[in-house]
Amino acid sequence: MTNQIPDEIIEQVKNANDIVDVIGEYIQLKKQGRNYFGLCPFHGEKTPSFSVSQEKQIFHCFGCGKGGNVFTFLKEIDSFTFYEALQFLAEKQGIELPQTSIKKESSLSEEDQQVLTANDWLMKLYHHLLKYTKDGKEGYQYLKDRGISDEALEDFQIGYAPNIKDFTLEFLTKKGFSKQLLVKNGILSAQNDHDVIDRFRGRVIFPIRNAIGKTVGFVGRALHDGVEPKYLNSPEGGLFQKSKILFNFDLAKKHIRKENEVILFEGSVDVISAYQNGLKNVVATLGTALTESQAKLLNRYVETVVLCYDGDDAGLNAAYKASQLLRSVGCEIRIAKMDPSDDPDSFIRSNGMEAFQNRIIRTSDTYMTFYMRYFRRDYNLKVEGDRIAYIEKVLKELSMIESTLEREYYVQELHKEFNLSHESLMTQLQSYRNNQQNSRDNHRYNRYTNKGNSSYQTKLHPAFINAEKKLIAYMLQDSYITEKVQNDLGAAFNVNDHKIIATHLYAYYEEGNPPDIGLFMERLSEDHLKKHVVEAVMMTDIANSTDEEIDDYIRFILNESNQNVSIKSLKEKQRIAEQENNPMEAAKIAMEIIELQKQRKHMH
């Protein structure tokens, strides 16, 4: 793929897109020393082990081992092909790619690409009908009555599907899309009489976009009471998976990063209402409970999630379940307190955005305050037994909070409300904490004894392997060192992958290329070789290298290589002695091999 695009174009695009800025659009990064760290988006973790080097323009996860340059990251995170990643980054910086002889590979199947194109045409059609035709007047009026502005109609590309059963069929088939494709992917609905009709006819249409702004499905809202279902979604499929998509995430993510906070609603209309009134860091689930996939997506971007659900019992229950899920993936949460008769959209329309910000968002409860309020409903606190059960439940939850200050604050609240001594509450709280600590210790012990010490041992390499890793890291960043290694060591690396990388490096520099880790990595087709490269570079600081150190590494690697040759030669002599029925000579050679292996082991 890359040989169809000039290296200088790839280099221009890469240099125009700082890897910290690009990855910072997907996960929250914090600078520690020379590098940036965050939670790895490729495996579950609560302690950041994902490192990004601005100086070297590469990333590496010390947990799962994934690593590479800015192109690699996009290929991993969004399943892009190299060309899609290159095109995405070029468009961000206004760089025009050459169009001749470029094979525009796609990570999507041909069918999914057609569906995306059909969705895009349909989004534009529905939006045009809503704004500029008589057919769309009823839908337009409905949206105006709901307080949705013309600007919001544009931002969200809201539309209207006319109540004509074959309107969409005729439009899309004239564009070249097959009826079978449209039915299979839920754009059209097949009837029992083999007739085909528009799935969303007579409804206001809300396009659903993925994280990079591609329309992957639609939600249609009925205009009249009694029409069921009130909301109709595109069917679940490869492109449209409600459990993985958050409404408005594509528009909100830059505001989420800026505010380091996201407000999570239950409904798309709540999002539109807030967004058009200036509150931009807002997203919503698509008519379902929050999923682990969505929670992890939010956790990649922000520390704090504000849950702003309806104030009725259903909203409280949903907020509690969402809070548990968000906390389990590492998010700090707050829960907005709405009156039982209120929802965010109606509150904003009745009271305005300033009141919503001041009275709802900024006064939202901490998790423990919400927890106490949520479970208080289950107890009659006038009854002694219920009071004790409630206090014990709150103390058990408090015992899992690490902040001493926060635990003290809520113990004081219980002390004041229930007139119990501070000492007795703290004693009970500490008892729960001790039980939890014992349970955690047992879990860690069992996990350690079951796994043994294998995970540690796998990271212990013989000294010659570490020498080869160091040498490769220096070669990647200095053509002079590479030339010296080529002259003194050649291909005498003992690890086959290191030998392959070194051979590629010799050719890379001979072509006159500059020391550029990212550019070199694009020449490696095997992922495991790229992993070796990133791992070596992230763990080595070339500024501290000396000629003596380089010479020592070369000498050490050559010694290992010579010993390997000697052992192989002796084994061959042993085999010949055994074939010639000379057991004394074979035994003598075996002793020499054992002695050499002992020397090797002692050196390592």
Side-chain angles (χ1 to χ4, degrees):
M1 182 66 242
T2 57
N3 62 4
Q4 297 174 326
I5 303 169
D7 283 345
E8 56 267 24
I9 297 293
I10 296 172
E11 186 72 357
Q12 181 189 2
V13 172
K14 185 168 71 66
N15 290 340
N17 289 274
D18 189 301
I19 193 169
V20 172
D21 294 335
V22 174
I23 293 181
E25 294 183 6
Y26 291 83
I27 67 173
Q28 186 182 183
L29 294 173
K30 291 184 177 179
K31 192 167 188 182
Q32 295 179 21
R34 296 170 69 174
N35 292 344
Y36 292 79
F37 285 84
L39 296 174
C40 179
F42 305 120
H43 80 286
E45 63 176 14
K46 293 185 179 179
T47 302
S49 63
F50 184 88
S51 176
V52 184
S53 169
Q54 193 165 42
E55 177 186 355
K56 299 168 183 174
Q57 288 294 298
I58 57 175
F59 73 92
H60 178 65
C61 176
F62 294 97
C64 68
K66 286 190 184 293
N69 61 12
V70 68
F71 299 117
T72 316
F73 179 81
L74 290 174
K75 285 157 73 175
E76 290 282 353
I77 196 82
D78 281 327
S79 300
F80 283 168
T81 62
F82 174 79
Y83 178 79
E84 287 172 331
L86 183 68
Q87 187 178 46
F88 177 78
L89 293 173
E91 288 175 355
K92 280 172 70 73
Q93 303 300 331
I95 298 171
E96 194 168 331
L97 297 179
Q99 298 301 309
T100 55
S101 72
I102 292 178
K103 182 184 176 185
K104 297 183 181 180
E105 295 178 350
S106 174
S107 55
L108 298 173
S109 67
E110 185 177 344
E111 181 175 309
D112 281 348
Q113 291 180 65
Q114 288 185 19
V115 172
L116 280 180
T117 305
N119 284 345
D120 192 53
W121 276 115
L122 210 48
M123 176 189 72
K124 292 172 181 174
L125 172 68
Y126 288 156
H127 182 65
H128 176 83
L129 291 171
L130 176 84
K131 291 201 72 177
Y132 303 111
T133 70
K134 290 181 180 179
D135 288 324
K137 276 189 175 180
E138 185 182 15
Y140 181 80
Q141 190 58 50
Y142 165 82
L143 293 165
K144 298 304 287 184
D145 291 343
R146 290 293 305 265
I148 296 176
S149 67
D150 285 345
E151 185 180 0
L153 296 180
E154 290 296 329
D155 287 337
F156 295 94
Q157 287 292 290
I158 301 169
Y160 176 75
N163 200 5
I164 305 169
K165 67 177 186 178
D166 57 356
F167 185 88
T168 298
L169 172 64
E170 286 191 18
F171 175 77
L172 289 177
T173 50
K174 284 180 180 177
K175 295 289 182 186
F177 300 98
S178 72
K179 183 191 296 186
Q180 292 77 9
L181 173 83
L182 301 175
V183 171
K184 180 182 176 183
N185 289 278
I187 295 172
L188 301 175
S189 297
Q191 304 298 290
N192 292 332
D193 58 0
H194 304 296
D195 199 6
V196 171
I197 61 173
D198 180 1
R199 179 182 184 85
F200 298 107
R201 66 197 184 284
R203 293 173 178 267
V204 169
I205 305 298
F206 299 89
I208 305 300
R209 300 184 292 246
N210 63 15
I212 58 173
K214 301 290 185 182
T215 302
V216 294
F218 301 95
V219 174
R221 207 283 188 192
L223 295 180
H224 304 290
D225 293 337
V227 177
E228 295 296 334
K230 182 186 291 185
Y231 288 96
L232 182 63
N233 293 330
S234 293
E236 292 275 318
L239 292 172
F240 183 71
Q241 298 180 49
K242 288 188 290 184
S243 63
K244 296 181 178 180
I245 298 171
L246 289 166
F247 181 76
N248 192 47
F249 190 77
D250 61 313
L251 296 180
K253 59 185 180 182
K254 64 182 178 182
H255 305 289
I256 291 169
R257 287 195 307 276
K258 181 181 176 183
E259 301 294 333
N260 196 21
E261 180 178 279
V262 61
I263 299 166
L264 178 63
F265 293 119
E266 283 185 286
S268 54
V269 174
D270 296 327
V271 167
I272 295 168
S273 182
Y275 195 91
Q276 72 179 12
N277 282 284
L279 189 60
K280 307 287 188 181
N281 56 327
V282 290
V283 297
T285 51
L286 296 173
T288 60
L290 185 73
T291 65
E292 184 177 6
S293 177
Q294 292 165 332
K296 286 180 176 177
L297 175 63
L298 291 175
N299 189 42
R300 282 188 355 219
Y301 278 75
V302 288
E303 290 180 352
T304 304
V305 179
V306 180
L307 291 163
C308 190
Y309 287 6
D310 294 353
D312 57 14
D313 282 345
L316 282 173
N317 292 335
Y320 175 71
K321 290 176 182 175
S323 70
Q324 299 303 300
L325 188 51
L326 288 162
R327 291 178 80 237
S328 74
V329 300
C331 290
E332 293 291 326
I333 65 158
R334 301 202 315 272
I335 300 93
K337 189 175 181 180
M338 304 282 300
D339 289 337
S341 59
D342 259 336
D343 61 72
D345 172 46
S346 62
F347 185 97
I348 292 169
R349 285 195 287 146
S350 299
N351 302 280
M353 178 50 67
E354 187 176 352
F356 182 73
Q357 288 267 41
N358 292 332
R359 289 161 50 187
I360 303 298
I361 300 302
R362 294 192 181 115
T363 61
S364 53
D365 289 340
T366 63
Y367 169 72
M368 270 311 302
T369 298
F370 171 75
Y371 183 92
M372 293 164 72
R373 173 164 61 92
Y374 179 74
F375 280 104
R376 184 182 291 265
R377 304 173 307 155
D378 298 339
Y379 298 90
N380 181 356
L381 297 184
K382 294 179 180 178
V383 176
E384 183 179 343
D386 274 17
R387 281 202 304 276
I388 293 172
Y390 171 73
I391 293 166
E392 286 181 334
K393 188 172 186 69
V394 172
L395 287 174
K396 283 178 182 176
E397 189 69 19
L398 265 180
S399 70
M400 291 186 279
I401 290 177
E402 290 304 316
S403 167
T404 304
L405 186 64
E406 194 172 351
R407 292 198 305 269
E408 172 71 21
Y409 176 84
Y410 289 107
V411 165
Q412 283 287 84
E413 291 291 300
L414 292 173
H415 162 66
K416 285 187 284 188
E417 181 175 1
F418 295 102
N419 198 28
L420 290 169
S421 74
H422 183 271
E423 292 74 19
S424 63
L425 290 169
M426 289 301 294
T427 300
Q428 187 65 45
L429 176 62
Q430 191 57 48
S431 173
Y432 290 139
R433 283 184 63 76
N434 291 340
N435 289 340
Q436 286 167 13
Q437 186 60 50
N438 291 337
S439 176
R440 282 195 292 267
D441 290 344
N442 289 335
H443 176 69
R444 277 197 291 266
Y445 173 78
N446 290 334
R447 188 174 58 182
Y448 178 83
T449 52
N450 288 338
K451 290 173 69 177
N453 209 18
S454 59
S455 63
Y456 175 71
Q457 289 170 348
T458 57
K459 295 180 181 178
L460 288 177
H461 298 303
F464 77 88
I465 292 181
N466 289 327
E468 292 186 3
K469 283 178 176 290
K470 285 273 191 179
L471 207 51
I472 283 172
Y474 292 151
M475 292 164 67
L476 283 159
Q477 299 169 81
D478 192 317
S479 58
Y480 165 76
I481 292 175
T482 304
E483 185 179 351
K484 177 177 174 57
V485 172
Q486 187 172 9
N487 292 330
D488 296 354
L489 189 61
F493 286 84
N494 297 282
V495 177
N496 195 50
D497 283 347
H498 295 168
K499 189 179 298 186
I500 295 169
I501 292 168
T503 304
H504 277 294
L505 267 171
Y506 299 152
Y508 174 81
Y509 284 124
E510 284 170 2
E511 292 170 9
N513 293 306
D516 188 309
I517 299 160
L519 188 60
F520 172 72
M521 284 179 61
E522 289 309 318
R523 301 165 69 97
L524 301 176
S525 55
E526 296 89 352
D527 287 340
H528 69 281
L529 295 179
K530 293 180 181 181
K531 182 178 176 181
H532 279 304
V533 168
V534 174
E535 192 177 74
V537 171
M538 290 297 278
M539 301 180 75
T540 306
D541 184 1
I542 191 171
N544 297 326
S545 67
T546 63
D547 288 342
E548 291 78 12
E549 181 187 6
I550 302 300
D551 288 336
D552 285 343
Y553 289 150
I554 291 173
R555 185 167 53 252
F556 203 88
I557 294 165
L558 279 173
N559 286 341
E560 177 68 22
S561 179
N562 291 336
Q563 282 196 328
N564 279 333
V565 171
S566 298
I567 290 172
K568 285 179 182 177
S569 176
L570 286 170
K571 284 184 176 179
E572 178 62 19
K573 288 180 181 179
Q574 183 186 30
R575 186 183 65 81
I576 293 170
E578 288 170 347
Q579 283 180 344
E580 294 176 349
N581 200 22
N582 188 346
M584 294 295 290
E585 181 66 17
K588 180 184 173 185
I589 294 170
M591 293 301 293
E592 290 181 52
I593 292 171
I594 290 169
E595 186 59 33
L596 268 177
Q597 288 173 333
K598 280 183 180 178
Q599 291 175 18
R600 236 173 119 187
K601 189 173 182 181
H602 179 71
M603 287 179 66
H604 297 162

